[in-house]
Amino acid sequence: MALIVHKYGGTSMGSTDRIKNVAKRVAKWHDAGYQIVVVPSAMSGETNRIIGLAKEIMADPDPRELDMIASTGEQVSVGLLAIALQALGKKAVSYAGWQVPIKTDSSHTKARIASIDDVKVNADLAEGKIVIITGFQGVDELGNITTLGRGGSDTSAVAIAAALKAQECLIYTDVDGVYTTDPRVVSDARKLNTVTFEEMLEMASLGSKVLQIRSVEFAGNYRMPTRVLSSLTDPLMPLAEEIISGTLISFEEDTNMEQATITGIAFNRDEAKLTVFGVPDKPGIAYQILGPIADANIEVDMIIQNQSVEGKTDFTFTVPRGDYNKAMDVLNASVKEHIGAGNIIGDSKVSKVSVVGVGMRSHVGIASQMFRTLSDEGINIQMISTSEIKISVLIDEKYMELAVRALHKAFGLEAA
Ligand code: ASP
Ligand code: MG
């Protein structure tokens, strides 16, 4: 019998009425002959609320205790869903992460899954039970409860699906799939039937925040077909329709991709740029500039080092806007003093826009089409970076939406 994992987000679990709807949907799948494991999030707002309680007491609470608190939202969800399924006459059992167990490392608030035991769950499934497992949490070697980082239930669901060798992992959420770009920016953005996991990684990391990135990495590593679909439809809609709805994250070789060269336009509004002028051009310089930035736990994205003139060069890189001030402090403290560089300047009002698509591998001229489109709109490109399946540019944040709309049109991505 085929096993399917369902994941429901906080909005889908947001009230007892919504939980009853989730139960109806799950029961419908079970009636159709599937084995089902459900991985729900906490009810919407709940994780924020309980973490907030801890922070009322202390600004920076002990991460172990934070995990103890943050993990409870999911525990309420699984119990309520089990009760809702039992109320429909289904056999259902709920488990917290430590009961499965889902073993993780000990990095509290950002733990990584190490292993998932399938013995208990398989025994329950064989008895015809629907198994409900908390998202977002696990247990470390010493028995401490851990959590996987905000939004971590997506990762739990995909990891559980991989461990149980499920046929597919269905992520039910409040959007009905993955779009060519954010429909709030481009109203005629088109829903994609399939996207490869590599494209999804780019779309997710670049700001189309549908899934937690790590869940997409899991899907890729374990080749777990994962589908994003809406939980807001009628729970009793015909299964045949539901099975092919949403967006399937798949594997390039397996699918007959939609013919487009470009799959989507991703963007990230909140970037910042820092430039160190007059850096001596000698070995070890990039490391001396970026080492302290990495030590401060700041993620660097785009990097440019200019051709040197008279032994000096300029060095520019981008960081998330939230880390801008910290990055500037680090540069001022370490770099200037030790490297003998000139001025440091920055701009915290820049955004990144990217065209993404595996089709780029077999097409040339994508970059020039992108640059021509931006030039036609009078948008200045500050930095460029490329990979096999994407081209990103850094621009003034004022023009971000204009750029996204123009590129979406230029690459013919709009709905028919
Ligand atoms: N409840 C957790 C959070 O709010 C995990 C999740 O919803 O995926 O971050
Ligand atoms: Mg989520």
Side-chain angles (χ1 to χ4, degrees):
M1 211 185 302
L3 167 69
I4 305 278
V5 171
H6 284 200
K7 186 265 173 179
Y8 291 90
T11 315
S12 322
M13 296 293 291
S15 65
T16 47
D17 279 335
R18 292 201 172 166
I19 291 174
K20 286 191 219 164
N21 273 337
V22 168
K24 280 186 205 159
R25 193 182 296 275
V26 170
K28 174 186 73 180
W29 278 80
H30 195 253
D31 288 340
Y34 290 97
Q35 292 186 326
I36 305 290
V37 172
V38 190
V39 181
S41 291
M43 297 170 81
S44 57
E46 187 59 12
T47 310
N48 284 342
R49 187 186 73 82
I50 52 191
I51 290 177
L53 293 177
K55 298 204 164 162
E56 277 175 25
I57 299 176
M58 192 176 168
D60 202 8
D62 176 7
R64 180 194 182 277
E65 304 311 328
L66 261 187
D67 277 353
M68 183 61 104
I69 297 161
S71 61
T72 60
E74 272 69 13
Q75 202 169 318
V76 172
S77 285
V78 292
L80 287 173
L81 183 54
I83 291 168
L85 281 161
Q86 289 165 2
L88 296 177
K90 287 288 179 189
K91 289 195 277 181
V93 58
S94 68
Y95 293 117
W98 64 268
Q99 292 174 302
V100 174
I102 297 173
K103 294 207 176 129
T104 71
D105 65 17
S106 301
S107 339
H108 284 291
T109 76
K110 46 177 187 297
R112 298 213 161 231
I113 294 175
S115 67
I116 299 178
D117 194 327
D118 61 1
V119 174
K120 198 163 9 187
V121 178
N122 279 332
D124 289 327
L125 291 171
E127 286 174 28
K129 290 180 188 159
I130 294 166
V131 181
I132 307 153
I133 303 174
T134 48
F136 181 51
Q137 57 166 273
V139 62
D140 77 359
E141 226 162 18
L142 300 170
N144 298 301
I145 291 175
T146 54
T147 66
L148 308 183
R150 298 307 304 271
S153 300
D154 294 335
T155 298
S156 304
V158 178
I160 288 169
L164 299 172
K165 304 189 171 57
Q167 177 181 301
E168 208 173 282
C169 181
L170 305 183
I171 310 266
Y172 287 90
T173 176
D174 49 4
V175 297
D176 61 357
V178 180
Y179 281 73
T180 48
T181 193
D182 187 336
R184 284 167 301 190
V185 174
V186 180
S187 58
D188 59 358
R190 183 169 46 86
K191 189 171 63 123
L192 297 160
N193 295 325
T194 57
V195 64
T196 71
F197 85 90
E198 281 176 290
E199 288 169 332
M200 190 61 204
L201 226 40
E202 297 294 354
M203 307 277 274
S205 66
L206 296 169
S208 310
K209 294 186 184 69
V210 183
L211 285 180
Q212 200 199 29
I213 287 207
R214 239 199 286 165
S215 70
V216 183
E217 287 167 358
F218 255 99
N221 290 343
Y222 292 93
R223 302 187 67 81
M224 176 49 56
T226 300
R227 187 180 295 273
V228 177
L229 66 175
S230 173
S231 68
L232 305 175
T233 52
D234 174 5
L236 299 180
M237 79 187 269
L239 200 66
E241 266 174 52
E242 191 170 325
I243 283 175
I244 54 164
S245 67
T247 301
L248 178 66
I249 303 170
S250 63
F251 305 91
E252 206 172 340
E253 314 85 271
D254 304 351
T255 47
N256 197 352
M257 292 301 297
E258 293 159 69
Q259 280 306 301
T261 326
I262 296 303
T263 302
I265 312 294
F267 57 86
N268 195 349
R269 271 176 221 278
D270 302 321
E271 301 272 329
K273 172 177 88 163
L274 296 98
T275 300
V276 190
F277 288 104
V279 179
D281 188 16
K282 60 180 192 208
I285 280 298
Y287 173 64
Q288 282 182 54
I289 294 175
L290 295 180
I293 297 283
D295 292 344
N297 245 321
I298 299 171
E299 223 174 290
V300 171
D301 181 20
M302 299 167 124
I303 303 172
I304 290 183
Q305 186 188 316
N306 284 347
Q307 186 66 28
S308 67
V309 179
E310 290 166 6
K312 299 259 183 193
T313 179
D314 304 332
F315 194 93
T316 304
F317 60 96
T318 64
V319 299
R321 194 173 295 168
D323 287 330
Y324 175 68
N325 288 332
K326 194 159 118 192
M328 197 49 118
D329 290 347
V330 169
L331 278 188
N332 276 317
S334 65
V335 174
K336 217 169 167 181
E337 205 169 304
H338 299 303
I339 307 183
N343 277 340
I344 299 169
I345 63 156
D347 183 353
S348 64
K349 292 200 163 46
V350 288
S351 301
K352 183 165 76 170
V353 176
S354 310
V355 299
V356 176
V358 293
M360 249 186 248
R361 287 200 179 111
S362 50
H363 282 75
V364 290
I366 303 295
S368 63
Q369 190 177 349
M370 179 182 194
F371 302 155
R372 185 185 341 118
T373 305
L374 295 172
S375 138
D376 287 347
E377 298 294 337
I379 299 172
N380 184 40
I381 300 171
Q382 303 181 13
M383 290 173 88
I384 301 168
S385 75
T386 64
S387 81
E388 257 200 300
I389 65 160
K390 74 153 193 215
I391 303 167
S392 305
V393 295
L394 195 75
I395 59 176
D396 187 323
E397 70 166 4
K398 278 204 296 270
Y399 303 120
M400 195 209 76
E401 297 206 353
L402 174 63
V404 171
R405 278 194 287 268
L407 291 167
H408 195 268
K409 189 148 200 277
F411 287 101
L413 295 174
E414 63 272 16

